[in-house]
Amino acid sequence: MYKFASSVLYSVLQKFGKQLVIINKEKVPEQPYIVTCTHSGYVEVIMLALSLYPTEIHYMAKKELFSKDWSDKFFHSLNAFPVDREKPGPSTLKTPVKLLNQGKSVGIFPSGHRAEAGEAPLKRGAATIAVLSNKPIIPAAFEGPKKVKSIFTFRHKSFIKYGDPINPSEFPSDMKKSEKIAKVMELLEERTNTLQKEVTYIANKANKK
């Protein structure tokens, strides 16, 4: 279902005014990778996926979304997999690492919940997954509509800007795992904050025209 839904939405948004502006997509490498993004609503989940089309992204999502049989099937069909944010266990890391080792890409919103940018610190999980899988993290920031229905009014553009990859495989071989995780977290926090400021400025400037 992911492939069908993303293809339809991508075609619609491209046809009606190119509602998605993607900046620095050339920084995104070939699969597999981890992509992170600022998170204030559900719009950026959709737009992040469309910005990387036709690559399929496997999203970490809170386990509550999978509580019913129909919702479990629905979200799994959209390449989402559940995580327990309150009591994260080994599977929280095992599933995304396995996906990455299978050549698939994983999407993580490090704030862990829908919050205004900057309210929640970046979580350790994304950095740990990057180090365990030895795959790069591609930081991204979003600016645009807050409600999904706003996408289809075709009045407001969405902006996504990508930053330089953070690749643990390029760290010194004598670095300890804990040191690598700490370094990834530091770089991710720094680059994400910078990207958010930059993409917000770009969006505000574009909307004033």
Side-chain angles (χ1 to χ4, degrees):
M1 183 174 177
Y2 181 104
K3 187 174 183 179
F4 172 76
S6 61
S7 296
V8 171
L9 283 173
Y10 184 83
S11 298
V12 169
L13 292 181
Q14 287 296 102
K15 184 175 181 179
F16 295 96
K18 295 185 177 181
Q19 297 303 110
L20 176 59
V21 179
I22 308 168
I23 306 165
N24 290 345
K25 190 176 180 180
E26 69 277 3
K27 293 183 181 292
V28 179
E30 296 296 324
Q31 292 177 266
Y33 53 78
I34 303 156
V35 60
T36 62
C37 189
T38 50
H39 192 30
S40 60
Y42 292 112
V43 174
E44 55 266 41
V45 179
I46 298 170
M47 291 305 186
L48 184 65
L50 294 180
S51 73
L52 294 168
Y53 178 86
T55 297
E56 293 192 21
I57 304 300
H58 296 258
Y59 283 117
M60 295 180 73
K62 60 181 182 180
K63 70 173 186 177
E64 290 81 2
L65 295 175
F66 301 78
S67 60
K68 299 184 182 300
D69 184 59
W70 69 266
S71 62
D72 180 80
K73 292 179 180 178
F74 175 72
F75 284 107
H76 272 107
S77 74
L78 293 176
N79 289 354
F81 57 94
V83 294
D84 188 342
R85 297 181 311 189
E86 300 300 324
K87 299 178 181 179
S91 62
T92 302
L93 302 178
K94 184 178 179 180
T95 299
V97 169
K98 182 179 179 180
L99 287 166
L100 289 160
N101 288 334
Q102 291 174 344
K104 299 173 183 177
S105 292
V106 172
I108 302 174
F109 294 92
S111 61
H113 60 84
R114 294 186 298 119
E116 290 300 324
E119 285 187 4
L122 295 176
K123 295 293 179 71
R124 183 183 180 88
T128 303
I129 291 167
V131 171
L132 290 178
S133 64
N134 209 30
K135 299 296 190 295
I137 286 184
I138 316 302
F142 171 86
E143 186 66 42
K146 303 301 182 184
K147 297 182 179 180
V148 174
K149 65 180 181 181
S150 299
I151 299 174
F152 302 101
T153 63
F154 305 109
R155 295 176 182 174
H156 306 286
K157 291 184 181 293
S158 294
F159 297 79
I160 287 183
K161 185 172 184 178
Y162 289 100
D164 292 324
I166 303 165
N167 199 338
S169 66
E170 297 176 353
F171 292 171
S173 58
D174 60 348
M175 280 185 74
K176 297 179 181 179
K177 184 174 73 174
S178 59
E179 293 175 332
K180 289 183 178 180
I181 292 172
K183 185 62 176 177
V184 172
M185 289 177 65
E186 177 188 343
L187 292 172
L188 184 58
E189 183 90 43
E190 178 184 293
R191 294 183 188 181
T192 300
N193 289 340
T194 298
L195 285 168
Q196 188 62 63
K197 292 176 183 177
E198 292 173 346
V199 78
T200 299
Y201 173 80
I202 292 170
N204 290 339
K205 187 175 180 180
N207 289 330
K208 288 179 181 179
K209 293 182 178 179

